[in-house]
PDB file of all heavy atoms in Angstrom:
ATOM      1  N   GLY Y  36      54.889 151.643 -33.155  1.00  0.00           N
ATOM      2  CA  GLY Y  36      54.251 152.035 -31.895  1.00  0.00           C
ATOM      3  C   GLY Y  36      53.183 151.035 -31.477  1.00  0.00           C
ATOM      4  O   GLY Y  36      53.072 150.662 -30.297  1.00  0.00           O
ATOM      5  N   VAL Y  37      52.402 150.584 -32.445  1.00  0.00           N
ATOM      6  CA  VAL Y  37      51.343 149.609 -32.157  1.00  0.00           C
ATOM      7  C   VAL Y  37      51.967 148.294 -31.704  1.00  0.00           C
ATOM      8  O   VAL Y  37      51.517 147.659 -30.732  1.00  0.00           O
ATOM      9  CB  VAL Y  37      50.462 149.386 -33.426  1.00  0.00           C
ATOM     10  CG1 VAL Y  37      49.442 148.290 -33.185  1.00  0.00           C
ATOM     11  CG2 VAL Y  37      49.789 150.690 -33.831  1.00  0.00           C
ATOM     12  N   ILE Y  38      53.029 147.908 -32.408  1.00  0.00           N
ATOM     13  CA  ILE Y  38      53.711 146.656 -32.046  1.00  0.00           C
ATOM     14  C   ILE Y  38      54.283 146.761 -30.620  1.00  0.00           C
ATOM     15  O   ILE Y  38      54.165 145.834 -29.821  1.00  0.00           O
ATOM     16  CB  ILE Y  38      54.853 146.356 -33.059  1.00  0.00           C
ATOM     17  CG1 ILE Y  38      54.247 146.108 -34.450  1.00  0.00           C
ATOM     18  CG2 ILE Y  38      55.681 145.153 -32.617  1.00  0.00           C
ATOM     19  CD1 ILE Y  38      55.265 146.034 -35.578  1.00  0.00           C
ATOM     20  N   ALA Y  39      54.861 147.923 -30.300  1.00  0.00           N
ATOM     21  CA  ALA Y  39      55.467 148.115 -28.968  1.00  0.00           C
ATOM     22  C   ALA Y  39      54.419 148.040 -27.860  1.00  0.00           C
ATOM     23  O   ALA Y  39      54.660 147.437 -26.807  1.00  0.00           O
ATOM     24  CB  ALA Y  39      56.184 149.459 -28.917  1.00  0.00           C
ATOM     25  N   VAL Y  40      53.254 148.638 -28.103  1.00  0.00           N
ATOM     26  CA  VAL Y  40      52.187 148.605 -27.085  1.00  0.00           C
ATOM     27  C   VAL Y  40      51.648 147.181 -26.949  1.00  0.00           C
ATOM     28  O   VAL Y  40      51.460 146.672 -25.836  1.00  0.00           O
ATOM     29  CB  VAL Y  40      51.058 149.596 -27.445  1.00  0.00           C
ATOM     30  CG1 VAL Y  40      49.867 149.419 -26.512  1.00  0.00           C
ATOM     31  CG2 VAL Y  40      51.570 151.038 -27.373  1.00  0.00           C
ATOM     32  N   ASN Y  41      51.442 146.512 -28.097  1.00  0.00           N
ATOM     33  CA  ASN Y  41      50.936 145.134 -28.052  1.00  0.00           C
ATOM     34  C   ASN Y  41      51.875 144.203 -27.305  1.00  0.00           C
ATOM     35  O   ASN Y  41      51.433 143.283 -26.612  1.00  0.00           O
ATOM     36  CB  ASN Y  41      50.755 144.595 -29.483  1.00  0.00           C
ATOM     37  CG  ASN Y  41      49.441 145.061 -30.072  1.00  0.00           C
ATOM     38  OD1 ASN Y  41      48.564 145.545 -29.347  1.00  0.00           O
ATOM     39  ND2 ASN Y  41      49.309 144.951 -31.368  1.00  0.00           N
ATOM     40  N   ALA Y  42      53.177 144.456 -27.465  1.00  0.00           N
ATOM     41  CA  ALA Y  42      54.167 143.591 -26.813  1.00  0.00           C
ATOM     42  C   ALA Y  42      54.355 143.961 -25.345  1.00  0.00           C
ATOM     43  O   ALA Y  42      55.051 143.273 -24.612  1.00  0.00           O
ATOM     44  CB  ALA Y  42      55.502 143.704 -27.550  1.00  0.00           C
ATOM     45  N   GLY Y  43      53.739 145.068 -24.918  1.00  0.00           N
ATOM     46  CA  GLY Y  43      53.862 145.498 -23.534  1.00  0.00           C
ATOM     47  C   GLY Y  43      55.175 146.218 -23.244  1.00  0.00           C
ATOM     48  O   GLY Y  43      55.555 146.401 -22.095  1.00  0.00           O
ATOM     49  N   TYR Y  44      55.884 146.618 -24.292  1.00  0.00           N
ATOM     50  CA  TYR Y  44      57.173 147.290 -24.089  1.00  0.00           C
ATOM     51  C   TYR Y  44      57.003 148.776 -23.797  1.00  0.00           C
ATOM     52  O   TYR Y  44      57.842 149.379 -23.151  1.00  0.00           O
ATOM     53  CB  TYR Y  44      58.073 147.145 -25.321  1.00  0.00           C
ATOM     54  CG  TYR Y  44      58.482 145.727 -25.648  1.00  0.00           C
ATOM     55  CD1 TYR Y  44      58.793 145.352 -26.953  1.00  0.00           C
ATOM     56  CD2 TYR Y  44      58.572 144.764 -24.641  1.00  0.00           C
ATOM     57  CE1 TYR Y  44      59.176 144.047 -27.258  1.00  0.00           C
ATOM     58  CE2 TYR Y  44      58.941 143.468 -24.941  1.00  0.00           C
ATOM     59  CZ  TYR Y  44      59.237 143.116 -26.247  1.00  0.00           C
ATOM     60  OH  TYR Y  44      59.611 141.849 -26.549  1.00  0.00           O
ATOM     61  N   MET Y  45      55.960 149.357 -24.349  1.00  0.00           N
ATOM     62  CA  MET Y  45      55.763 150.808 -24.175  1.00  0.00           C
ATOM     63  C   MET Y  45      54.291 151.102 -23.876  1.00  0.00           C
ATOM     64  O   MET Y  45      53.409 150.343 -24.283  1.00  0.00           O
ATOM     65  CB  MET Y  45      56.181 151.568 -25.453  1.00  0.00           C
ATOM     66  CG  MET Y  45      57.674 151.579 -25.691  1.00  0.00           C
ATOM     67  SD  MET Y  45      58.115 152.267 -27.312  1.00  0.00           S
ATOM     68  CE  MET Y  45      57.765 153.996 -27.075  1.00  0.00           C
ATOM     69  N   THR Y  46      54.056 152.240 -23.220  1.00  0.00           N
ATOM     70  CA  THR Y  46      52.685 152.677 -22.977  1.00  0.00           C
ATOM     71  C   THR Y  46      52.256 153.563 -24.165  1.00  0.00           C
ATOM     72  O   THR Y  46      53.110 154.122 -24.862  1.00  0.00           O
ATOM     73  CB  THR Y  46      52.579 153.516 -21.698  1.00  0.00           C
ATOM     74  OG1 THR Y  46      53.343 154.716 -21.899  1.00  0.00           O
ATOM     75  CG2 THR Y  46      53.124 152.773 -20.486  1.00  0.00           C
ATOM     76  N   PRO Y  47      50.942 153.728 -24.380  1.00  0.00           N
ATOM     77  CA  PRO Y  47      50.497 154.621 -25.457  1.00  0.00           C
ATOM     78  C   PRO Y  47      51.046 156.039 -25.285  1.00  0.00           C
ATOM     79  O   PRO Y  47      51.382 156.703 -26.262  1.00  0.00           O
ATOM     80  CB  PRO Y  47      48.972 154.611 -25.327  1.00  0.00           C
ATOM     81  CG  PRO Y  47      48.667 153.285 -24.705  1.00  0.00           C
ATOM     82  CD  PRO Y  47      49.805 153.016 -23.767  1.00  0.00           C
ATOM     83  N   ALA Y  48      51.197 156.504 -24.037  1.00  0.00           N
ATOM     84  CA  ALA Y  48      51.722 157.860 -23.802  1.00  0.00           C
ATOM     85  C   ALA Y  48      53.177 157.956 -24.258  1.00  0.00           C
ATOM     86  O   ALA Y  48      53.600 158.974 -24.820  1.00  0.00           O
ATOM     87  CB  ALA Y  48      51.616 158.215 -22.324  1.00  0.00           C
ATOM     88  N   GLN Y  49      53.938 156.891 -24.034  1.00  0.00           N
ATOM     89  CA  GLN Y  49      55.341 156.899 -24.485  1.00  0.00           C
ATOM     90  C   GLN Y  49      55.422 156.885 -26.010  1.00  0.00           C
ATOM     91  O   GLN Y  49      56.268 157.562 -26.600  1.00  0.00           O
ATOM     92  CB  GLN Y  49      56.080 155.676 -23.903  1.00  0.00           C
ATOM     93  CG  GLN Y  49      56.329 155.792 -22.403  1.00  0.00           C
ATOM     94  CD  GLN Y  49      56.830 154.493 -21.785  1.00  0.00           C
ATOM     95  OE1 GLN Y  49      56.574 153.398 -22.299  1.00  0.00           O
ATOM     96  NE2 GLN Y  49      57.540 154.606 -20.673  1.00  0.00           N
ATOM     97  N   VAL Y  50      54.521 156.147 -26.648  1.00  0.00           N
ATOM     98  CA  VAL Y  50      54.480 156.104 -28.116  1.00  0.00           C
ATOM     99  C   VAL Y  50      54.163 157.499 -28.662  1.00  0.00           C
ATOM    100  O   VAL Y  50      54.816 157.991 -29.588  1.00  0.00           O
ATOM    101  CB  VAL Y  50      53.427 155.072 -28.609  1.00  0.00           C
ATOM    102  CG1 VAL Y  50      53.194 155.215 -30.105  1.00  0.00           C
ATOM    103  CG2 VAL Y  50      53.880 153.659 -28.273  1.00  0.00           C
ATOM    104  N   GLU Y  51      53.195 158.131 -28.030  1.00  0.00           N
ATOM    105  CA  GLU Y  51      52.802 159.493 -28.448  1.00  0.00           C
ATOM    106  C   GLU Y  51      53.985 160.462 -28.277  1.00  0.00           C
ATOM    107  O   GLU Y  51      54.240 161.309 -29.140  1.00  0.00           O
ATOM    108  CB  GLU Y  51      51.611 159.933 -27.577  1.00  0.00           C
ATOM    109  CG  GLU Y  51      51.106 161.341 -27.812  1.00  0.00           C
ATOM    110  CD  GLU Y  51      50.379 161.491 -29.128  1.00  0.00           C
ATOM    111  OE1 GLU Y  51      49.954 160.456 -29.680  1.00  0.00           O
ATOM    112  OE2 GLU Y  51      50.281 162.631 -29.620  1.00  0.00           O
ATOM    113  N   GLU Y  52      54.682 160.300 -27.174  1.00  0.00           N
ATOM    114  CA  GLU Y  52      55.851 161.160 -26.913  1.00  0.00           C
ATOM    115  C   GLU Y  52      56.906 160.991 -28.013  1.00  0.00           C
ATOM    116  O   GLU Y  52      57.454 161.974 -28.523  1.00  0.00           O
ATOM    117  CB  GLU Y  52      56.448 160.792 -25.549  1.00  0.00           C
ATOM    118  CG  GLU Y  52      57.610 161.675 -25.137  1.00  0.00           C
ATOM    119  CD  GLU Y  52      58.351 161.141 -23.919  1.00  0.00           C
ATOM    120  OE1 GLU Y  52      57.879 160.188 -23.282  1.00  0.00           O
ATOM    121  OE2 GLU Y  52      59.435 161.685 -23.634  1.00  0.00           O
TER     122      GLU Y  52
END
Side-chain angles (χ1 to χ4, degrees):
Chain Y
V37 175
I38 296 170
V40 172
N41 278 346
Y44 296 153
M45 289 172 72
T46 64
Q49 289 170 334
V50 169
E51 177 72 19
E52 184 191 351

